[in-house]
Amino acid sequence: MHQHGENTRALGLPAPPAPPQPPLRAPVHRSTTYEFASSQDYADVLAGEAPGYSYARIDNPTATGFAAAMAALEGAGCDREVHGEAFASGMGAVSTTLLALTRAGAHVVASRSIYGNTYSLLDGLLRRFGVETDFVDITDTAAVRAALRPETAVVFTETLSNPTMTVSDLPALAAVAEEAGAVLVVDSTFATPAVCRPLEHGAGIVLHSATKYIGGHSDATGGVAVGDADLMAAVRSARIDLGPCLAPDEAFLLHRGLETLPLRVARQCETAAAFAAAVAQHPAVERVDYPGLPGHPGHDLADRLFDAGRRGAVVTVTPRGGREAGTAFADALRTIRIAASLGGTHTLAGHVGSTTHRQMSDAALRAAGIGPAAVRFSIGLEDAGDLVADALAALDACGGGTR
């Protein structure tokens, strides 16, 4: 009998045993490729005629598990089949979904108060490929309907807009989109399924930057799209062709974050409500955007659409005095940290016009209702009193007067 050489033996070692007891934690599958018993088996899996895995860009069991978990959370109140697809980032989910639903000559109606990179994707890259976008006041249903064309393929909004915390009337937008034969696509990053589930209100696809609240610890990057099975078939095909696959280690961390999502978000929302109410009383503050405040335009709508007691955990504070006042306010914070992203355990702040929405002109910022001094706060898990004290001290230090 032929004796294999040492290199061949090293590559043919026994596989680790499958545990007879199911592991409590989902395993991480790092392999990029999978072995088949025959060429036909390989072809059948690639063709989608048999279940299985072939290559990590197409599917990975850990990423599939995360996408299925998100579909279960977002689709909890749905009576229709819901599928999920995982991505390497939130913008990977946004861009792939929009590319899957549009083509040259297609039209999109989008909220004019959306994340800066989504704005630049629609107004720049997609426009270069013949996809036109009209940005409208998404709270004005008549304006949304007036912007529709025969070519409209997508109505795009955010459950809670970044950073004005505008609340979208999801049932009304779903009805308008359905009338036009368009798909309502909702970025629900700021809400999460622990606050609102857009599929329950008629959305066709809901998107998340899972980097934020889903992961929850600022240590993993990813995105996810969840929606009706027929729509998600097109998104899946585009994901495979474009290649923004979610890495298995990231998928593991994001999946882990789901177990504490309701606990974290409930605590963050409670602290955000206390923070917003306190900061709004300071004489140096021109405006506070938070739907938990009675004066916020979306307050009553949030009461109808959101889970009880949860109005999101992002608070945008606009001090008096223009752009310089905003940057000075952010720079004077001590407990609260200046950093990118949101949704983690630490409270983070950033001057909106020079960071998250730097792609937008002053005119576009004004049209979106964003003041030049606006500072966005992502509330974390610190004690509410400490956050309030830090913000008020920073306002005082910037010449905000006495309280």
Side-chain angles (χ1 to χ4, degrees), residues 237-250:
S237 178
R239 177 185 64 75
I240 292 171
D241 287 342
L242 293 168
C245 58
L246 179 63
D249 290 278
E250 304 288 275

Side-chain angles (χ1 to χ4, degrees), residues 62-87 192-194 196-200 204-208 210 214 223-229 232 254-255 258 261:
T62 313
T64 299
F66 166 64
M70 281 299 302
L73 291 180
E74 283 290 359
C78 294
D79 57 1
R80 59 193 192 274
E81 188 177 3
V82 173
H83 288 184
E85 292 290 332
F87 296 84
T192 82
C196 178
R197 292 158 299 282
L199 296 180
E200 296 178 9
I205 294 178
V206 58
L207 308 171
H208 289 275
I214 303 302
V224 66
V226 175
D228 295 347
M232 291 307 299
L254 298 174
H255 193 286
L258 293 176
L261 178 67

Side-chain angles (χ1 to χ4, degrees), residues 119-217:
Y119 179 91
S120 63
L121 171 69
L122 288 165
D123 198 46
L125 183 62
L126 288 182
R127 202 177 292 278
R128 284 170 44 201
F129 289 97
V131 178
E132 297 293 325
T133 299
D134 282 325
F135 296 95
V136 302
D137 178 358
I138 208 69
T139 66
D140 185 345
T141 305
V144 176
R145 182 176 281 108
L148 295 171
R149 307 177 191 171
E151 302 81 22
T152 302
V154 172
V155 175
F156 187 97
T157 191
E158 297 170 343
T159 305
L160 284 165
S161 71
N162 181 7
T164 59
M165 299 299 282
T166 300
V167 181
S168 289
D169 189 340
L170 299 176
L173 292 172
V176 169
E178 184 176 14
E179 291 170 13
V183 179
L184 176 61
V185 178
V186 181
D187 184 335
S188 203
T189 297
F190 275 37
T192 82
V195 172
C196 178
R197 292 158 299 282
L199 296 180
E200 296 178 9
H201 302 291
I205 294 178
V206 58
L207 308 171
H208 289 275
S209 171
T211 311
K212 314 304 194 292
Y213 292 101
I214 303 302
H217 291 77

